[in-house]
Amino acid sequence: MLISRGGALGALWLVAAGMFAAGPAAQAQDPADGVTIAADIKLTDDGLLQVAEKVQVPPGGQFHMVLPLRVAFGDSGERRFSVTDIGSTGAGKATLAGDLFTVDAQPGDSSFTYTVHNTVNDAQGSQVFRWTGVLNTDVASITASVISPSFRMGIADCKIGPAGQQQPCADVRVEPDGVLTLNKEGLRKGDIIDLSMQLPPGTVAPNADIHDGNDSSAFSFGTPVLVAFGALVLALLAAAGFVLWSRRQDAAALGAHEALDPVQHKDDRAEFVSPDGVLPGAAGLLLDASPDATDLAATVVDLAVRRYLWITPISDSDWRINRVNAADDQLRDYEREVYRALLPDGTDSVQVSELRGRVAATSARSALLADAAANGTLTAPHRRGPSFWLGVVLLVVGVAATIGLAIAGRYALVGVAVALGGVAALFLPRYLPRRTATGRALAGRIRALQRGLDNVQPDRIPPADRELVFSRALPFTIIGGRVDNWIRTFRDLDPTADRDPGLYWFGGFDRDRNLHRFAGHFPYFITALEGLFA
C-alpha cells in the first residue's frame, strides 16, 4: 500500500501511488517477470488530471490498485478528491465505492481511463508537489509520461530505494517540450519513492478541496465569521446604548419644566386650563405610555364633570351612573368607547355593581392608544418604521446568505450573524420609549401641571369659580394618585356657593356645606371604577 502526503499537485502523484499499489502476485516471482505498468497522464488547463493506464499481469499474478479519495492534510485536516469518466477494457475493471476508487486486473492486458478532480492548489511563488510512496509488491517496470500546460515543469528532487538507502532517480527527466517521463525497472516490495515537482505559479486553475481541521464544516468559525459576529456585537452595543440614551432623554423630559399653574385668572374670574387642552385620560397615558385602568376611571369622572354623566351613591360600596347627555361629536373616540362600556345604546342608567365583570375595556384601551398615535404623541403600536424595514432586509439577506454559504461549504455563520442583526432591528422598537418628541414635551408639561396642582390655594380663587376649578382638575389628580390631597385642599369648599346645592355632577351630599363627607367617600368610587376597567 502507498502512503502519500502533501502537494500542490497531490492527485497527480496520488495516481502514481495507485499505480504502485499493486497487490501481491499469486506466487513469488522475479521482478523481471512481474506486473508492468504504462501510464499517460495529462494535467488540463482547468486542473483536471486525465489518466490512461495499460497494465500487463503475468499468468498467476494479480493487479489491485486502491486510490483513497480522502487523505490526511496537516495535523488534523483532510484533502478530498473525486473521480469521474471511469472506463475499462480487457481483463480488468474499475469501481468507485464511497471514498475509494479501486482498479483490479486479472492475468492479461487491461486498459483503464479516468479523470481525477480537485487536484491543484497554489503554493507561495509556485505550484509545488511532493509525494512519498511505499511499494507493497514487486513491479517489473513502470513507464509514465506527464503532460502539463507549462513547458517549464521541472523536478526538484527524486529518490528511490529501500529505507535509508535511497538513490537519485536516474530515469526521471523533463523533455524539451515540457513532458515529464518516468521509466523504472526492477522495483521491489518495500522500496520508497520520494518525488518533488514544480510548476510556475498560475499554470493551472487551483481547485483543491482542502478542509482544515479547524474549519471542517460550513458552520465552523473562521476569520470572516469572527468579523461578522464582531460587527454584530458592536451593532448590538450601539443599539443598547441608543436605547439607554433614549430612555434617559425620555425620563428627563418629565422633570424638565417648572411647576405649571393650572388656574388662569382673567379679570375677576378663574378657570382650570390643561396644557394644550389635553384630556385627563390622554394625559395619564402620556405619563406612563400605558392605557391603564386609572386613565379610564379618570375619563369617567371627566365625562361626569363635563355633564355627560351623573353619579349618585346608592350605598357606601355602590353607585348609580345615569345618562345626562348622549355621546356626541365633541367626545374623542376613546371617550365614546368608555361611555358605551358603561351605558350601551338603549341604557340610561346602570349600577356599578351590575357592571362588575361585564365591562370590555379592550376597545377603550385600543382607542386611547390610537388617539395618542393620531395626535403624534405616541408611536403607533404596529407602525412599520425604518427599524422594521431594516430588520426585514437584514433577515432576508441573512437567511439567503446562510443557505448560499452552507451550500458552498464555507462561512455560513456569516449569514447567521446578518440574520441575527435583522431580528435585533425588528425587536428594537419594543425597547425604545413610546413617546415621540411632541409627546415628551407634552408629558413634561403635564407633570409640571401636577406639581402646580399641589401649590393651588383655594382662597385665591373666587368663591363662585371654586367648585368648577375643583371639579375640572379632579380627574387630573386621579391619574397622578393625588385625589386625597386635592380633595383635602378643597375640603372646606361650599358647593352651594353657586346657588345650586351639592356638586353639580355628583349627588348624595346636596345638603353639605363642605366636602368633608365627600372626601371620605369619593376614593372608594375611584377604586370601584378602576376595578371595572382592570
Side-chain angles (χ1 to χ4, degrees):
M1 178 180 180
L2 285 172
I3 304 172
S4 63
R5 65 174 184 264
L9 295 173
L12 177 59
W13 290 103
L14 182 63
V15 174
M19 292 190 293
F20 291 129
Q27 60 185 16
Q29 58 187 338
D30 188 274
D33 299 325
V35 176
T36 62
I37 302 170
D40 293 321
I41 302 170
K42 180 182 178 181
L43 182 63
T44 66
D45 292 329
D46 51 1
L48 300 180
L49 204 64
Q50 297 175 344
V51 182
E53 289 180 342
K54 292 183 179 180
V55 180
Q56 291 182 332
V57 180
Q62 185 181 13
F63 176 77
H64 180 70
M65 179 184 80
V66 178
L67 270 176
L69 301 183
R70 295 191 178 205
V71 296
F73 184 86
D75 294 332
S76 58
E78 181 180 69
R79 182 165 186 167
R80 302 175 185 176
F81 303 90
S82 63
V83 177
T84 61
D85 305 324
I86 301 171
S88 63
T89 60
K93 63 178 181 179
T95 57
L96 181 64
D99 296 328
L100 297 177
F101 174 58
T102 304
V103 174
D104 287 295
Q106 300 302 319
D109 295 340
S110 303
S111 296
F112 305 93
T113 58
Y114 50 91
T115 300
V116 184
H117 297 253
N118 308 326
T119 62
V120 180
N121 69 288
D122 290 327
Q124 185 174 4
S126 65
Q127 291 179 320
V128 179
F129 163 78
R130 183 180 181 186
W131 173 85
T132 299
V134 181
L135 298 178
N136 73 343
T137 188
D138 295 338
V139 174
S141 67
I142 295 174
T143 301
S145 65
V146 180
I147 301 174
S148 80
S150 173
F151 288 95
R152 293 185 292 151
M153 179 167 63
I155 294 298
D157 190 25
C158 179
K159 294 181 179 180
I160 191 168
Q165 302 177 25
Q166 293 168 278
Q167 301 295 323
C169 301
D171 300 323
V172 178
R173 64 185 182 274
V174 178
E175 304 294 344
D177 59 358
V179 178
L180 181 146
T181 61
L182 169 66
N183 195 340
K184 192 67 178 175
E185 297 179 351
L187 299 174
R188 291 187 175 277
K189 181 178 180 180
D191 280 354
I192 298 174
I193 301 177
D194 193 339
L195 178 66
S196 297
M197 62 179 293
Q198 181 173 331
L199 290 174
T203 298
V204 294
N207 56 12
D209 184 8
I210 298 174
H211 294 254
D212 190 281
N214 296 322
D215 186 24
S216 58
S217 74
F219 290 91
S220 297
F221 282 92
T223 300
V225 174
L226 295 177
V227 170
F229 274 91
L232 174 63
V233 171
L234 291 177
L236 292 177
L237 290 175
F242 178 69
V243 169
L244 291 175
W245 176 82
S246 299
R247 288 186 170 185
R248 288 178 181 175
Q249 292 291 105
D250 188 69
L254 295 181
H257 298 269
E258 298 293 335
L260 180 65
D261 190 353
V263 180
Q264 290 190 358
H265 298 265
K266 186 176 181 180
D267 299 331
D268 58 346
R269 303 301 304 271
E271 63 177 348
F272 169 82
V273 178
S274 65
D276 294 348
V278 65
L279 297 171
L285 173 63
L286 270 180
L287 290 178
D288 57 13
S290 174
D292 50 39
T294 301
D295 304 333
L296 302 182
T299 298
V300 173
V301 175
D302 189 55
L303 289 174
V305 170
R306 289 157 56 195
R307 299 181 186 275
Y308 284 95
L309 303 174
W310 167 262
I311 302 166
T312 306
I314 297 176
S315 66
D316 291 340
S317 59
D318 202 4
W319 299 261
R320 181 175 297 280
I321 300 176
N322 298 285
R323 185 191 303 270
V324 177
N325 291 301
D328 53 27
D329 294 338
Q330 299 298 315
L331 298 183
R332 311 289 294 183
D333 288 344
Y334 76 88
E335 292 180 304
R336 283 195 288 271
E337 291 295 336
V338 171
Y339 189 100
R340 293 192 190 100
L342 300 177
L343 297 173
D345 294 341
T347 302
D348 293 327
S349 179
V350 67
Q351 292 180 209
V352 170
S353 58
E354 297 173 346
L355 293 173
R356 292 190 179 101
R358 295 172 48 192
V359 173
T362 302
S363 58
R365 294 173 187 268
S366 299
L368 183 55
L369 284 171
D371 182 80
N375 290 332
T377 55
L378 290 183
T379 57
H382 304 291
R383 183 177 69 91
R384 296 180 175 181
S387 178
F388 172 83
W389 295 113
L390 175 63
V392 169
V393 171
L394 290 177
L395 188 58
V396 171
V397 171
V399 171
T402 301
I403 295 174
L405 292 171
I407 293 174
R410 299 296 294 273
Y411 308 130
L413 289 177
V414 171
V416 174
V418 175
L420 290 176
V423 172
L426 289 175
F427 279 94
L428 179 61
R430 295 173 178 259
Y431 300 96
L432 290 173
R434 294 284 304 278
R435 284 186 284 258
T436 64
T438 301
R440 285 194 296 271
L442 182 55
R445 292 197 295 274
I446 294 171
R447 187 68 79 194
L449 170 73
Q450 291 182 320
R451 290 193 292 269
L453 288 171
D454 292 337
N455 299 328
V456 170
Q457 299 179 11
D459 56 4
R460 298 184 59 185
I461 302 173
D465 297 328
R466 291 176 186 172
E467 181 180 341
L468 185 59
V469 169
F470 165 79
S471 299
R472 294 301 300 270
L474 183 61
F476 287 87
T477 66
I478 294 174
I479 62 174
R482 307 285 288 176
V483 173
D484 293 342
N485 291 347
W486 182 248
I487 298 177
R488 190 178 302 113
T489 299
F490 283 84
R491 64 184 179 275
D492 294 326
L493 167 68
D494 183 1
T496 65
D498 58 356
R499 300 181 181 179
D500 190 14
L503 292 173
Y504 69 90
W505 56 273
F506 196 96
F509 304 105
D510 297 345
R511 298 181 181 181
D512 292 6
R513 302 296 297 272
N514 55 50
L515 298 182
H516 290 192
R517 283 205 303 156
F518 178 81
H521 180 86
F522 185 73
Y524 294 101
F525 174 65
I526 296 302
T527 300
L529 283 181
E530 291 175 343
L532 294 180
F533 293 107

